[in-house]
Every structure is written in structure tokens, then in C-alpha cells.
Amino acid sequence: MSKSSRRDFIKTLGIGTAALTIGNNAFGGAGLGFSAKSYRNIVGANERINMGIIGLNGRGNSMCGTIVALKNAQIVSICDVDKRTLPKVAATIQKAGQAAVPKSEKDLRRVLEDKSVDAIYTATPDHWHAPLTIMACQAGKHVYVEKPLSHNPREGEMAVTAARKYNKVVQMGAQRRSAPILTEGIKLLHDGVIGRVYMAKTWYTNARKPTFLKPGTIPDWLDYDLWQGPAPRMDYKEGLIHYNWHWFWHWGTGEALNNGTHEVDVARWGLGADFPTRVTSVGGRYHYKDDWETPDTQSVVIEYPGRMSLQWENRSCNGRKVEGLERGIIFYGEKGSLDTGDDAYSIYDLEGKLVKEVKPVGQSDALAGRNTASPSLGMDSLHMADFLDAIKNNRKPNCDVEVGHKSTVAMQLANISSRVGRDLHIDPKNGHIIGDPEAQKLWSRTYEKGWEPVI
């Protein structure tokens, strides 16, 4: 989105969503946590929230423009282990309308030490998400952390504990939680528009190419030691950075957490489900014979208390759409079904006849499902605005750390099931694995000495 169109979107945001805005309490923590009136009040406010941005490639660069356009925050620090990104992102910030030049840092610890920083946004690799969130809370910073909340379930629990202990706002980047039309659709589900909802079907498709890594020399633009951070040290390989780490268990969490977290979070929201009772997953690296470790083809079934199930289908290397969408969610109930994929929804009766359809307000709200920088600039803006408003009003954001953990751990359990090759039985009170010592070994990980997260 250009500078002018991004600004135009922000200016019209309050008007466009006014009729659809519903407070947090109405949904028990879901949906927009601020009214259109209060949104207009915080935009342009003199008291700005000072933000540090950590992780600048792709997603981080895009979000810098979104943050500056909101006007009630300013970016005072940018940080990345790739020194090439710093001038590029500084230019993005300037073009978005911020005159003040932020500090440039290589080491995220310097950002956390900076007392002028009120909050951080992070789009680092998965193995950094929870350790950085914990460190930031300890340093007195609020945190917007991109999904998934954590690399493994144990550190996700620790992130929740840290947020509560230090009384910090922690928002996970599940942008649909702040999408007003989708929020309206979820409320209709909870009010019984299709009767009791008993199943949610979700999916993700793409046409990714094979990945081959090879030994290499660490480039002079990269601090590989800081990039690894809490992960035990491994030799540098060409082809890993900046994206393909997703497909290796040491740093990433596969497509299940890279993309599945988004759909599963909406599905869990609509079902009104917390922790599951049983999780099963089958799949593998079926399409190519290359260096990928995580599945490119995966089928997940998650059972929840109250006779409900959630299904997720992944085809990373075959881009044929499902129901005409690259990614999406269908809720099935006793009286019909509700479809969604972005900030929109459609309701069908039991015979499949369309009963009601509500489309996105504008192009900024439409979802580009395979865009890794920003699938939806509109939802990015709303979700970040909710985070900033939660800080100003000392409340939980729409995708509070605990909400994010429950959605993240569902897919982490699916990956564990796939890796051990059997169903997992789960304690629905806390999401813990029951009676499977081998699977339990994957509940946590080992850390590089000196980098262990501690609360």
C-alpha cells in the first residue's frame, strides 16, 4: 500500500467500522476492544507510545509503515541481525510520515535496555518468539509478538506467566481477532445462527518449491550467533536465512504454526473451545525429496470437550484452492454452516443455500493468503490499533497472550502427534499430554547455555 492510500485507509477506518464495532466485554475478550469514537480519539493523540521493532525482513518492514500511519505510536528503535535491513526500514519509516529517525541496533538486548521504549513489535524467527517476549516483559515492555507465540508448549506457558507476573500487555499477531465483520460473524455463531456448532474445517494451500541447504560461510552482513540466540548452536548453511528456517524443527514449527495458527485460532474462537481432549495428525514431506523436515502435507484432527472437532488440512506444495480459497474456515452446525477466510462471512442452510453474505468493506480488508509481508493491511492496522489501545487503557488485547497460547499449543500438539506417529490424549484443563513419555519429551526443548528463558 502506498503512503497516501495507507493514510486514507487510516482516516476512514473509524467511519467504516463504526456500525460493526463491539467492545471486548461483549465477546468475553474477542472482537474490537475499542469503539470507533475512542479509535479516533487515540489517533493523533499527543501522548505517543514509543516502540522498538525487532526483526525487520519482510513482515517487520511492512508493519513499520502500518505503525507509523496509526499516529499514536512512534518508532524509536529498529533492530535486526542483518545490517542490510536497517537503512531500508529507516527509509520505510520516513516514507510513512515519521520525521524522527529511530536508533538502529543489532542486538535486541540493547532495545530492551532502552528506557525510552514502551513496547516492542517482533517478527523474529519462531525460536525467538517466547524467549524475547519473556525478556521484554521482564524489562518492562509491552509486546506484540507475531504468531506463533512460542516454539514449544512449555515456553508458551512461560510467556503467559511472564505477562501476568509483570502486568504487561502481550498481543499475538492473530489479526482476524480484530476484524470487525468477522467478529460480527463469530458473535452470530455464539448466538446460535446455525445452531450448536460442532465442527470447524480449516485449510491452507500453497505451491512452495523444494529447499536444499548447503554448507557456507557466514556473510559479513549477518550476526549468526545472535540470530541463533536461544537455540543450541549449529553450523551455518546457505539457504536457511531468511525464510526457510520455517521447515526445520531446530528453529521453526512448520506450516502448522507458520500458517495454520491463523485459521485454527479463528476456528477455536468460533467453537468457543479452550484446550482439547485428543489430537491426531498424519503427514510428512510427501511432495519433494529435499532438506525439509516439517510436513508439506498434513491432516490434523483436534477434539474438544462438548462433542466438537477442529480439522486442518495443509498442502504446502499443491496450490489448488479449497472452496475457491487459498485458506479458509467453515463452521458446521445443527442448522447450517458459516464460511469465512478474511474479514467477511457467509451463512448457508443445511441444504447449502446461501442465506446471508457480508463482504469486506474495502480492498484493504481483503486477504492475500500467500503474502508473507502482509496478508491484509487493513487487519494489520486494526490489530495494532487494538494493541496500542490496550496499553493506554490497561486491558487485555483481542489476542491476549493466553488466547494466543491456546491456539498455538493446539498445533504444537498436532506436530508432536505427527512426529511420534500416534494420537495424543490431552488434559482439557491445561493442554498437557497424558500418559505418553515419548511425546512429552517434545513439550519443551534444550537451549544454548546462557540463553535459557527464566521468569
Side-chain angles (χ1 to χ4, degrees):
M1 181 182 279
S2 67
K3 176 181 175 181
S4 59
S5 59
R6 194 188 290 266
R7 283 178 170 173
D8 290 342
F9 169 73
I10 296 299
K11 287 178 182 177
T12 59
L13 186 61
I15 298 171
T17 63
L20 301 171
T21 301
I22 302 174
N24 248 357
N25 291 337
F27 291 170
L32 289 173
F34 51 90
S35 67
K37 181 179 178 181
S38 68
Y39 181 85
R40 289 193 293 270
N41 286 341
I42 64 173
V43 172
N46 293 326
E47 188 178 336
R48 292 181 177 178
I49 294 169
N50 291 333
M51 294 198 63
I53 313 302
I54 302 173
L56 304 177
N57 273 285
R59 179 70 178 151
N61 186 32
S62 174
M63 285 297 288
C64 281
T66 294
I67 292 166
V68 171
L70 287 171
K71 299 301 182 186
N72 60 314
Q74 61 181 347
I75 298 171
V76 298
S77 182
I78 55 176
C79 177
D80 201 285
V81 295
D82 179 350
K83 66 182 182 182
R84 302 173 304 174
T85 65
L86 295 166
K88 176 183 176 181
V89 173
T92 294
I93 292 168
Q94 184 181 33
K95 289 177 182 177
Q98 178 176 307
V101 178
K103 298 177 186 176
S104 292
E105 302 283 1
K106 179 180 72 172
D107 191 331
L108 57 82
R109 290 170 293 190
R110 304 292 83 81
V111 179
L112 301 184
E113 291 168 358
D114 188 341
K115 296 189 182 301
S116 72
V117 174
D118 302 313
I120 68 162
Y121 165 85
T122 178
T124 49
D126 294 357
H127 70 281
W128 260 114
H129 285 190
L132 177 52
T133 296
I134 294 164
M135 293 165 65
C137 289
Q138 290 170 329
K141 317 300 184 189
H142 303 285
V143 182
Y144 183 123
V145 54
E146 287 294 357
K147 55 77 207 159
L149 175 66
S150 60
H151 178 267
N152 57 80
R154 174 58 185 141
E155 65 183 29
E157 291 181 321
M158 294 178 71
V160 174
T161 300
R164 300 296 182 252
K165 179 178 179 179
Y166 299 102
N167 191 30
K168 294 302 166 188
V169 173
V170 176
Q171 171 101 298
M172 188 181 83
Q175 293 81 3
R176 290 180 180 89
R177 288 273 178 168
S178 295
I181 298 174
L182 175 57
T183 295
E184 178 189 75
I186 296 295
K187 185 178 186 300
L188 289 174
L189 278 182
H190 293 171
D191 289 345
V193 69
I194 60 171
R196 186 179 73 85
V197 184
Y198 55 81
M199 188 178 88
K201 174 184 175 180
T202 72
W203 64 91
Y204 177 79
T205 67
N206 207 327
R208 301 192 189 278
K209 303 305 179 185
T211 296
F212 295 96
L213 305 182
K214 60 181 181 179
T217 302
I218 300 172
D220 60 4
W221 47 262
L222 175 69
D223 189 322
Y224 184 54
D225 188 65
L226 276 177
W227 184 89
Q228 294 183 92
R233 297 299 178 260
M234 295 188 72
D235 291 340
Y236 175 82
K237 290 187 177 181
E238 291 182 7
L240 180 70
I241 297 172
H242 281 292
Y243 194 80
N244 288 328
W245 53 264
H246 280 292
W247 323 128
F248 299 89
W249 296 118
H250 195 69
W251 307 280
T253 52
E255 206 75 90
L257 279 300
N258 181 41
N259 278 296
T261 309
H262 284 298
E263 276 69 46
V264 167
D265 180 67
V266 174
R268 196 179 61 76
W269 180 18
L271 291 171
D274 288 320
F275 293 112
T277 57
R278 187 171 70 160
V279 178
T280 185
S281 173
V282 295
R285 184 55 166 161
Y286 291 167
H287 195 102
Y288 296 108
K289 291 183 178 180
D290 60 357
D291 291 334
W292 274 51
E293 295 175 350
T294 64
D296 63 31
T297 306
Q298 192 171 7
S299 296
V300 173
V301 178
I302 305 172
E303 290 189 341
Y304 287 96
R307 296 184 297 138
M308 297 186 297
S309 72
L310 190 164
Q311 300 176 10
W312 180 69
E313 175 190 347
N314 167 49
R315 286 181 283 104
S316 287
C317 300
N318 189 315
R320 180 173 176 176
K321 299 177 182 180
V322 178
E323 301 284 342
L325 296 173
E326 297 167 350
R327 57 195 308 169
I329 307 105
I330 302 175
F331 293 98
Y332 296 92
E334 295 169 330
K335 299 178 182 179
S337 59
L338 184 148
D339 295 18
T340 185
D342 50 15
D343 191 16
Y345 65 90
S346 301
I347 299 173
Y348 297 83
D349 65 17
L350 282 176
E351 302 299 323
K353 179 183 177 181
L354 180 64
V355 175
K356 182 179 181 179
E357 183 177 28
V358 183
K359 296 182 178 180
V361 171
Q363 188 60 37
S364 294
D365 299 314
L367 188 74
R370 299 172 188 171
N371 184 331
T372 58
S374 177
S376 169
L377 286 169
M379 283 190 273
D380 284 346
S381 296
L382 286 164
H383 205 48
M384 180 58 70
D386 173 73
F387 172 64
L388 298 173
D389 186 73
I391 294 171
K392 283 182 173 288
N393 291 290
N394 192 30
R395 64 167 176 85
K396 292 180 180 178
N398 288 340
C399 193
D400 172 63
V401 61
E402 190 169 353
V403 173
H405 171 62
K406 289 175 181 178
S407 297
T408 298
V409 79
M411 296 307 272
Q412 288 170 336
L413 290 167
N415 277 342
I416 292 172
S417 169
S418 180
R419 294 175 76 178
V420 299
R422 56 181 169 273
D423 288 8
L424 301 180
H425 295 278
I426 309 299
D427 185 340
K429 296 190 296 296
N430 55 23
H432 285 212
I433 299 166
I434 299 172
D436 194 330
E438 182 186 2
Q440 184 61 34
K441 292 178 182 177
L442 297 174
W443 184 260
S444 59
R445 72 167 307 165
T446 57
Y447 295 91
E448 179 69 11
K449 187 176 181 181
W451 285 100
E452 304 90 343
V454 178
I455 299 174

